[in-house]
Amino acid sequence: AKACGCRRNSVFSARHTCPLDWPKTKAELRMRATASIALLLANSASAFNVQGFFGKTVQPRAATQAASAKWSPRVASDPLKMSLATPASPTTSAGSTDALEEYVQKHGGNRPIRKVLIANNGMAATKSILSMRKWAYFELGDENAVQFVAMATPEDLKANAEFIKLADAYVEVPAGKNSNNYANVDIIVDVAKEYNVDAVWPGWGHASENPKLPTALTELGIKFIGPTAPVMSVLGDKIAANILAQTANVPSIPWSGSWGNEGDDGPLQANLQEDGTIPLDIFNKAMVTNVEEAVDAAKRIGFPVMLKASEGGGGKGIRMNDNEEELRANFPQVEAEVPGSPMFMMQLCTGARHLEVQIVGDEHGNAVAINGRDCSTQRRFQKIFEEGPPTIAKPDTFLEMQRAAQRLTQQIGYIGAGTVEYLYKAETDEFFFLELNPRLQVEHPVTEGLSLVNLPATQLQVAMGIPLNRIPDIRRFYGRKDAEEGDGPIDFMTEAYKEIDTHVIAARITAENPDEGFKPTSGTIERVNFQSTSNVWGYFSVGANGGIHEFADSQFGHLFAKGSTREQARKALVLALKEIEVRGDIRTTVDYLVQLLETEAFKENTIDTSWLDGIIREKSVSTELDPHVTVAAAAIYRAYAQVQAGEANMVEALGMGQLGMGALKSLNNFPIEIAYKDIKYNFQVQRTSADVYTFTINGGSFEAKVRESPDGSLLVEYDGMTSKIVGFEEPLGLRVIIDGTTCLLPNIFDPSELRTDVTGKVVRYLQDDGAQVEAGTPFVEVEAMKMIMPLKATESGAIKHELSAGSIIATGDLLASLALKDPSKVKKIEAFDGKFDIVPATPEFFVADPVTALENVIDGYERLSELRPLEELVQGLMKKCSSADEAANTVATLLQRFCAVESVFAGKVQDDVNQALVKDKKDALAEVVGLNMAHSQFTNRQNAILFLLRQFASLSIAQFAERPMTDELSAALTTLESLEGKEYGSLKIEASSLIREASVEPFSSRKEALRETLSNADDVAQLARGTTISSGVDLLSSFFTDSDSKIAQKSIETFVRRVYRAHNVLNMEVTEVDGVYTANFEFNLGGMEEPGPLRKGVMVVAKDEADAVAKFPSIVDSFSAKIGANTYDSPVNVIHVAYGNPAIIGTDAEASTIATAEAMVAKEKAKLESMGIRAVHIIAPQPEMDPRYFSLTSCDDYREDPLRRDMRPTFYHLLELNRLLDNYDVQRMNSVARNTQVYLGVEKSNTGRGPAPQSVFLRALSHSADLTTPSGSTRVLLTALDELDRAVLDERVTATTSTRIFLNLLSEVETSTDEALETFRSILGQLQSRYATRLLRLKVDEIEVKIRVKGADGSLTPLRLIASSMSGKWLKADAYLEFPDPVTGVTSQFCPLGEAGEDDAK
């Protein structure tokens, strides 16, 4: 890039080409490559310090803005005062001076130009320096042979304009509009004089067409690189140019100079004066000086008409008018855009193409036409695309257009580069003179790409007096082989230049918003990313950290694409535009240009000058994205920005010693509101990993994976695509750039406020203060980027001006207020209530790996319970493992991850922990935030660990047929169990349970031992009553379908007798028919003086669930035939259905199993009721695990009772749970012992203002006969207290919760009731003295023991022993005789023993 001088800023691609570099021959390629390397090496050592270069000290281009020269107030004696020291002599090398002088002399010139003032900025200044430096190096071998000084306003300095860095030095000139600086002839002349420049290059726009500039410079002996003042006066003015064209009989369209000629009232004729100018009276006849003259001229010409400022250009000072109303409105706008310029009118030539010819004239009378351009793609007469050659015109016709342009310029002695513009009607093959621009135009690189003529360098050489036929580029263009050395003549009027075999299309990159009528925008530019290729070149007037200010031209870049055909050039340009990235505060037209290039009309070249305005009017092309894509991108940006800002603020706060962690709540779960197109979208955002966000709206969710690039952009994956998103929060709202397409999501403003969306200046208000303004009508005109534009009111009402004309405004400023005409009609923002399009039909997850998903949960991120249930994640974890040990170690890793966080906080005050962490990690405070974030999500993390621990054993058995316990898992469980704090209670219970279960004898060993016991048992009834079977009752279910039928039958009978041990089993018969075992038995309630009704039960072992469903109707019918109809008021009979084949019934299968059972039973409900079936019990064996129990009771309409789940069928009755349910809302808690259940009860009858009192109830069964001994009672009590210790660790248990113990001793006690009470008191006293501290800590305020006293005569007396603190005395012991209902078995009366007296029943 540096080699050709085309680009020096590192923000641009290192690989670089320009139109003049496009390859021609291999030899030239090699030559240029060698030269480029040489220049690159030379530049590495070149000094850019130009101290004293201009004869006084100036700012070198490497100087900082702070050191820039300052403009002082102008005074008559010193019009240009710079705060700089007196200069030394210039430091130009002798070698370069000799080379320049030699070149000029060799090529017939008369003046070397070594120092050039660039009297322009932006694109013009940038391109001129790039091109002339390139010429200097390739022709003279020294890029610094010509030095450049730039003028720079404070706005350009602040914007980090590219041309300032390219120049050798700059001079700061006044700020503001161009009349203060670049268009101010006095300032330009003063700078040129003070700094001893040889020439001034005016560029385009600003003062480039002001004849006063060349006049003043010529008087000082400074060369103006352009035409002479008289010629500029004639041709540079559009009015004069048209008069001159008419005089030369060049076809012209009707305009305000088409009449008024003296004598015939025909087209005005230019009778030139001696100074080469047109007489003022003739000139004035073509002008329109006020609105009324404009209206009269328009009526004579015929609408539609063009109102144009003679000194305008680039889309400024020109308006199309379809009618008189538009003309009257546009007239003051044109006046304001080009102040002081004469104005004229032309008929709008519809259906025409805008073609132009590039001409260059020299001071020797030569004029060359260097082909031309087609600039028909225009918006409001501002060019958008330029291309060449103009293929729409017939070759002969375009050749005549070139010859006419040459004759016109030759006749008046035109010197320098210029453009003759025509309107061309393809249908009739006619062309009409439009204007002649006496300057270079911004699109000139199109011509450079076609001809390989360096036009700024050609201007420079012409200014040095070199004839056109001696300029090497021109000679090459005409095919001269002696281009470098030749001096032969060329007849430009008759000779043809080389055939052009290339097509070039250019696109202007402007800071405009195509979605808002191409409003100009201004602001900072962070970067411009563009990769030049061999067939696409571009240059930009801004660089990294630059900007576009409100006084600058909106164009800041230009791309040029070439191809052998127009279509190839078009495609190359499309690809280049798609890859360009401009990031900053501005909007650009890049995406819009791509869509224009892809239209059929452009592809087929059927456009005209009104084509683009029609597209804009009809809105047939738009850069707007799908609204939901825009909203999603905005939500993603804001969510990411909120998290980043939150984390940064917390790190900053920790650094300042502020330890509060309240802001953590908004890091992982928070709402985001996006308003777009009058619709408000309310998202709930959940961060599920460090870089994954889930957005939920109206019940639908989608995920987005967000990664921040080094350049600050966000690479976002969502909805099956990857997008690059950049966002900016601005005064008017959020501006988000999605893959290069910019969208503004406005803030919700007060409808009574009228604010500006541009930066610039208020020109005038269009209504009086207090007047009425209607919605959609303009209320103010503002000037922005040299354009006058109206702003429209958004609502109707009485207007109040908030500023005055001339006020400087910035985006978001309040211009006016409205007293709303009808507030009820104001447009309202509606909440979105539909389906968001980005939401996928089925959930998709970036974190598909279940282990990683669980790690994210444990790290404190959110888990979407409805989308990713824990059971799904845990099952996925198990399936991922290839062995039981691998699964155990994976679980261990997750547990250690949890403990790594919690061990930091366990048992400590959080602020103390954070204080220590900040001290220890002062250079890594983000880690402190991460630890606190994880800890703050304790409940979610605990639930995940609990579920993992509870499901691990069953899933491991189901998948690997074993329950593993590796050293890693054992260590992790031990660490978990050691965490201090009540909040870890549930986790500690589960951890201890797994550790304890791991110490139990393997299932296979226990099963074999039980098989042997069953095999050797002669008396099954005795076996069921003994202690041998205590630990194997549930294990019996694994033998229900044993291959040994005797073992199967014994296991079934033993199971039934053991479960009904507290009852009197009167008889039992186990039969086997077709492989189906059935146990029929009769029983009554035990421990009662009156045995009550005879009850009947049946247990049937089906193969599996499906078999049970199929057989259940026959089971009911068969049992009904045995028992007949129920004759009692309450149901008394029971049915048991066992599944023979073991199957894991985890959390996921549980609901299905219950639903199947309920449906099965519901079909037989009527029969079951008539049979007096109290409950249907389902026994579902599991491999190497305890069976699952489900009870469907008549009192619940044969629905499964969750409170009885996983209880043996008689437990509910024996534990007297109905007593709890009458008075408490009960929640089941985890317990270790199979015969023990623990419940948390909250009183139902609470009438206080505070929370209802709660108690923990431990209820257990015991078959031990030694409970009445001190050792036996101690063992049972300690077991109960151990269970309570674990229970009170549950986070649901409050500090004031009391505990109560109930024990039902199923063994009969041979003693008297009085002796039983005394024994109870004695044992209780011993326990109180030994374990008082523990009893008080656990708040045990009641111990209740139910026994059956067997008298000498064999009678059984139910007795209840109670130690209660309710009377005020701690655990006072009493005894009560019980009188249960013989049918229900529920105690209906109690009679106290001892002090209360036996007759005082209650």
Side-chain angles (χ1 to χ4, degrees), residues 165 209 333 433 476 548 563 608 674 725 933 1037 1270 1364 1391:
K165 292 176 282 186
E209 298 181 51
Q333 294 182 17
F433 176 81
R476 278 189 286 267
I548 305 293
D608 58 36
I674 301 294
I725 297 175
M933 182 187 77
S1037 62
S1364 175
C1391 183

Side-chain angles (χ1 to χ4, degrees), residues 107-412:
H107 290 83
N110 51 33
R111 69 183 71 82
I113 295 176
R114 301 188 181 93
K115 295 169 288 185
V116 178
L117 172 64
I118 305 298
N120 213 303
N121 66 342
M123 298 292 294
T126 301
K127 177 58 168 62
S128 65
I129 298 174
L130 291 174
S131 293
M132 286 189 267
R133 281 195 189 281
K134 179 182 180 68
W135 168 82
Y137 183 77
F138 280 111
E139 295 296 344
L140 308 176
D142 182 4
E143 64 165 330
N144 295 314
V146 179
Q147 300 287 323
F148 300 95
V149 60
M151 297 167 58
T153 64
E155 292 89 354
D156 283 324
L157 289 166
K158 182 179 179 181
N160 196 24
E162 187 74 5
F163 74 92
I164 300 173
K165 292 176 282 186
L166 291 171
D168 295 280
Y170 70 86
V171 177
E172 185 173 345
V173 292
K177 56 186 180 181
N178 69 347
S179 60
N180 297 340
N181 36 70
Y182 303 109
N184 190 305
V185 172
D186 292 338
I187 288 179
I188 296 171
V189 172
D190 287 344
V191 172
K193 178 181 177 181
E194 290 291 323
Y195 293 98
N196 299 317
V197 301
D198 297 321
V200 173
W201 187 84
W204 47 85
H206 298 310
S208 64
E209 298 181 51
N210 189 338
K212 295 178 181 179
L213 182 57
T215 298
L217 291 173
T218 300
E219 291 175 357
L220 295 173
I222 299 172
K223 184 65 178 176
F224 177 78
I225 303 178
T228 61
V231 172
M232 179 183 290
S233 179
V234 174
L235 294 181
D237 186 278
K238 295 175 176 59
I239 294 176
N242 274 277
I243 294 174
L244 186 62
Q246 288 179 161
T247 305
N249 293 320
V250 176
S252 299
I253 60 175
W255 67 297
S256 54
S258 293
W259 61 86
N261 191 51
E262 189 173 347
D264 59 2
D265 198 30
L268 294 172
Q269 302 295 309
N271 299 313
L272 298 180
Q273 303 179 114
E274 291 183 2
D275 62 357
T277 61
I278 294 175
L280 186 61
D281 60 330
I282 297 176
F283 184 92
N284 290 341
K285 288 181 180 181
M287 289 173 52
V288 290
T289 60
N290 55 53
V291 173
E292 298 306 325
E293 287 184 5
V295 171
D296 290 342
K299 291 179 178 178
R300 187 164 182 176
I301 295 170
F303 286 102
V305 294
M306 302 298 305
L307 176 64
K308 304 177 74 173
S310 180
E311 297 172 5
K316 302 174 185 65
I318 182 170
R319 291 290 190 280
M320 182 184 73
N321 309 274
D322 281 324
N323 50 57
E324 181 178 338
E325 181 181 358
E326 288 185 7
L327 178 58
R328 290 183 179 277
N330 288 333
F331 192 91
Q333 294 182 17
V334 173
E335 270 188 317
E337 284 183 359
V338 191
S341 171
M343 293 192 293
F344 67 104
M345 313 237 351
M346 301 184 76
Q347 188 180 71
L348 177 65
C349 186
T350 58
R353 300 290 285 256
H354 179 119
L355 306 186
E356 53 192 38
V357 174
Q358 179 68 61
I359 55 98
V360 180
D362 64 20
E363 61 187 55
H364 305 285
N366 299 310
V368 62
I370 311 177
N371 202 263
R373 301 176 288 268
D374 185 341
C375 303
S376 301
T377 307
Q378 302 178 4
R379 178 194 61 80
R380 287 178 52 194
F381 309 102
Q382 182 175 2
K383 299 165 186 175
I384 302 297
F385 297 129
E386 304 99 349
E387 59 179 297
T391 56
I392 190 66
K394 294 179 179 179
D396 290 344
T397 303
F398 189 65
L399 178 60
E400 175 54 31
M401 294 166 74
Q402 294 179 77
R403 294 292 181 256
Q406 288 175 270
R407 288 193 299 270
L408 183 62
T409 54
Q410 226 173 7
Q411 287 174 2
I412 60 172

Side-chain angles (χ1 to χ4, degrees), residues 616-675:
I616 295 171
R617 185 171 53 253
E618 297 169 7
K619 296 183 179 181
S620 58
V621 172
S622 173
T623 61
E624 286 191 1
L625 299 173
D626 179 272
H628 286 196
V629 172
T630 302
V631 169
I636 292 167
Y637 169 77
R638 276 192 169 154
Y640 181 82
Q642 178 169 323
V643 170
Q644 296 304 303
E647 290 181 343
N649 291 338
M650 293 197 68
V651 168
E652 182 180 1
L654 288 174
M656 295 187 296
Q658 299 172 9
L659 304 178
M661 291 292 163
L664 281 171
K665 296 179 181 178
S666 63
L667 289 184
N668 287 340
N669 197 327
F670 50 88
I672 285 289
E673 180 181 284
I674 301 294

Side-chain angles (χ1 to χ4, degrees), residues 697-900:
I697 181 169
N698 298 338
S701 299
F702 69 93
E703 278 195 347
K705 187 172 185 179
V706 185
R707 289 168 292 172
E708 184 173 355
S709 300
D711 62 3
S713 63
L714 304 182
L715 290 178
V716 181
E717 297 177 58
Y718 70 107
D719 193 31
M721 61 184 180
T722 300
S723 292
K724 191 172 187 177
I725 297 175
V726 181
F728 302 92
E729 294 287 357
E730 299 176 345
L732 289 180
L734 171 64
R735 186 162 55 86
V736 61
I737 304 171
I738 310 163
D739 295 326
T741 299
T742 302
C743 306
L744 178 66
L745 292 88
N747 293 331
I748 301 175
F749 282 114
D750 184 339
S752 67
E753 296 179 345
L754 301 178
R755 296 181 178 272
T756 175
D757 57 354
V758 298
T759 296
K761 181 181 70 174
V762 175
V763 176
R764 63 171 180 149
Y765 286 95
L766 302 179
Q767 291 87 19
D768 293 335
D769 199 14
Q772 289 290 319
V773 61
E774 296 298 322
T777 61
F779 73 94
V780 68
E781 287 180 352
V782 298
E783 179 182 355
M785 313 288 285
K786 306 180 185 177
M787 299 286 288
I788 303 298
M789 63 187 67
L791 301 183
K792 297 179 180 180
T794 53
E795 300 293 342
S796 300
I799 191 169
K800 177 186 176 185
H801 302 166
E802 298 293 345
L803 298 174
S804 59
S807 298
I808 301 301
I809 56 175
T811 301
D813 284 353
L814 181 65
L815 300 181
S817 300
L818 288 176
L820 295 174
K821 185 175 182 180
D822 186 353
S824 65
K825 293 183 178 180
V826 172
K827 185 181 295 184
K828 295 179 175 59
I829 304 296
E830 302 290 340
F832 178 72
D833 58 2
K835 180 183 180 299
F836 197 66
D837 292 346
I838 306 300
V839 174
T842 57
E844 299 173 356
F845 305 107
F846 285 106
V847 183
D849 178 47
V851 176
T852 305
L854 286 169
E855 287 175 345
N856 289 331
V857 173
I858 293 170
D859 287 344
Y861 297 104
E862 293 288 327
R863 178 185 64 83
L864 305 174
S865 55
E866 68 280 5
L867 296 180
R868 302 203 77 177
L870 281 172
E871 52 264 38
E872 176 185 312
L873 296 179
V874 174
Q875 288 174 6
L877 178 153
M878 298 300 294
K879 291 177 181 177
K880 184 180 178 182
C881 298
S882 58
S883 68
D885 284 353
E886 181 186 351
N889 291 336
T890 302
V891 172
T893 301
L894 293 172
L895 296 182
Q896 293 290 12
R897 197 181 190 99
F898 176 86
C899 293

Side-chain angles (χ1 to χ4, degrees), residues 466-497:
I466 299 175
L468 285 170
N469 63 297
R470 302 287 295 275
I471 295 175
D473 276 356
I474 299 296
R475 295 188 68 80
R476 278 189 286 267
F477 182 50
Y478 273 82
R480 297 297 193 265
K481 296 181 179 180
D482 59 350
E484 299 294 335
E485 305 293 335
D487 59 359
I490 301 175
D491 187 346
F492 296 115
M493 291 298 295
T494 59
E495 289 190 44
Y497 46 73

Side-chain angles (χ1 to χ4, degrees), residues 1112-1169:
F1112 190 71
S1114 62
I1115 293 172
V1116 172
D1117 291 341
S1118 176
F1119 192 44
S1120 176
K1122 281 182 176 291
I1123 65 175
N1126 182 36
T1127 59
Y1128 300 101
D1129 294 336
S1130 299
V1132 295
N1133 304 312
V1134 292
I1135 295 177
H1136 302 265
V1137 178
Y1139 304 155
N1141 296 333
I1144 295 291
I1145 304 177
T1147 306
D1148 53 339
E1150 183 180 87
S1152 174
T1153 300
I1154 293 170
T1156 300
E1158 288 181 340
M1160 175 184 75
V1161 173
K1163 293 179 181 179
E1164 305 298 324
K1165 178 182 175 183
K1167 293 182 181 179
L1168 296 175
E1169 288 176 341

